[in-house]
Amino acid sequence: MTLVDSTQQLLEAAMRGSWQRQTAITNNIANADTPGYQPQEVSFESALQNAVSTGESPEEMQFQTETKAAEAGPNGTGVSIDQESAKLAENGLDYQALTQVVGARNDIIRSALGAAPS
Amino acid sequence: MGLFDAIGIAGTGLTAERVRMDVTAENLANADTTKAANGQPYQRQEVVLQQLGSSDFGGALSSAIHQSSGVQTPGGVEVAGIVSDSTPDQQVYDPGSPEANAKGYVKMPNISTVTEMTDLISESQSYQSDVTAMQTAKSMFTSTLGLLK
């Protein structure tokens, strides 16, 4: 087993995906009043699942930001501000959870190396 | 994709909403202005927003590659322009006014205070949403930094 195993690589890839999703959600919120704007989304989970089943390395994986066709509301955009706010909160918590897990795994490695866990 | 993209995008949203609030304030302040610069009653102003593509090289390249799928790298929002609302002026009966015409009517600006106030509420809430998005990005960034401890 290497020091940086595939789980750690997956966690890092998920953090990148979550960060990219954060950018997309922020863009949707910024454009919540732009006429004709179509919301964007990043679905990195399915790509990661594929990588796990095919044994592909997630390390250099790139995720796509896709435009989601949504019907324009009364203000002329396809953005639902409530949905985007909910997704923003969810994604923020997801990211925190990922960093906690990465931190815990780092602590394990650190204690194996003989240093006191932070 | 840069680390601070989300914060920058939220920033463009803050700027755009602030311009909208400025224009709404201008409309409210001029709700009774019967003589604007051109001598006519003040005309209601409206902000037009447009989506902004990514400004850096990587973002522009990625947008060009994925052009066929219609995906644009997130870059935020910008004010495309401030346009005049072409709704006709209101006619108010006020024969005592020095501005009144032969029939006693005064041409007043095409502004409804109620519309402006509801616009103001929606603009300030959009501003809040952008602030929240910025704060979430910031706390995500802080938790990444926590890994280095």
Side-chain angles (χ1 to χ4, degrees):
Chain A
M1 196 184 101
T2 54
L3 197 60
V4 181
D5 61 358
S6 59
T7 310
Q8 197 78 1
Q9 287 179 354
L10 268 178
L11 284 167
E12 283 164 17
M15 277 172 76
R16 271 194 289 121
S18 180
W19 195 274
Q20 196 174 332
R21 177 176 289 165
Q22 173 72 18
T23 312
I25 296 172
T26 309
N27 198 42
N28 292 344
I29 291 177
N31 282 288
D33 297 305
T34 309
Y37 177 79
Q38 296 280 305
Q40 299 177 325
E41 63 180 9
V42 180
S43 45
F44 61 89
E45 285 95 342
S46 50
L48 281 183
Q49 236 157 24
N50 270 337
V52 172
S53 53
T54 59
E56 187 196 337
S57 164
E59 200 158 23
E60 292 297 320
M61 204 169 224
Q62 297 290 319
F63 307 110
Q64 287 300 317
T65 302
E66 283 154 356
T67 306
K68 184 173 60 177
E71 209 170 299
N75 60 352
T77 93
V79 179
S80 155
I81 190 77
D82 329 82
Q83 273 180 28
E84 295 300 330
S85 301
K87 278 195 235 162
L88 182 81
E90 186 186 337
N91 188 54
L93 289 173
D94 269 352
Y95 190 85
Q96 300 253 332
L98 286 169
T99 45
Q100 298 256 323
V101 176
V102 171
R105 290 175 61 89
N106 283 352
D107 280 347
I108 293 172
I109 296 171
R110 212 174 270 136
S111 59
L113 292 172
S118 60
Chain B
M1 194 189 69
L3 210 48
F4 296 106
D5 278 4
I7 292 179
I9 290 169
T12 64
L14 292 180
T15 312
E17 296 303 335
R18 185 159 285 282
V19 171
R20 293 180 75 212
M21 283 193 268
D22 285 349
V23 169
T24 305
E26 167 112 348
N27 286 341
L28 276 171
N30 285 294
D32 295 316
T33 305
T34 49
K35 281 208 189 299
N38 57 1
Q40 290 296 307
Y42 176 80
Q43 286 239 299
R44 179 171 181 266
Q45 303 289 303
E46 220 170 353
V47 176
V48 181
L49 298 178
Q50 73 178 24
Q51 187 186 359
L52 193 61
S54 185
S55 53
D56 64 350
F57 176 73
L61 190 66
S62 157
S63 289
I65 291 169
H66 300 114
Q67 209 169 27
S68 54
S69 58
V71 175
Q72 203 174 14
T73 310
V77 65
E78 70 178 347
V79 173
I82 299 174
V83 294
S84 293
D85 185 338
S86 57
T87 318
D89 298 328
Q90 298 180 59
Q91 303 272 351
V92 177
Y93 186 67
D94 184 7
S97 163
E99 305 281 333
N101 64 10
K103 288 179 178 166
Y105 281 95
V106 181
K107 273 188 176 178
M108 297 292 278
N110 53 351
I111 291 171
S112 149
T113 332
V114 178
T115 314
E116 298 307 321
M117 287 313 288
T118 45
D119 278 359
L120 196 62
I121 294 170
S122 118
E123 284 148 12
S124 111
Q125 278 174 352
S126 296
Y127 190 88
Q128 284 288 336
S129 304
D130 285 320
V131 172
T132 311
M134 193 184 259
Q135 275 169 344
T136 311
K138 209 175 81 181
S139 74
M140 280 167 71
F141 194 57
T142 315
S143 67
T144 315
L145 284 178
L147 286 176
L148 299 173
K149 278 193 288 193

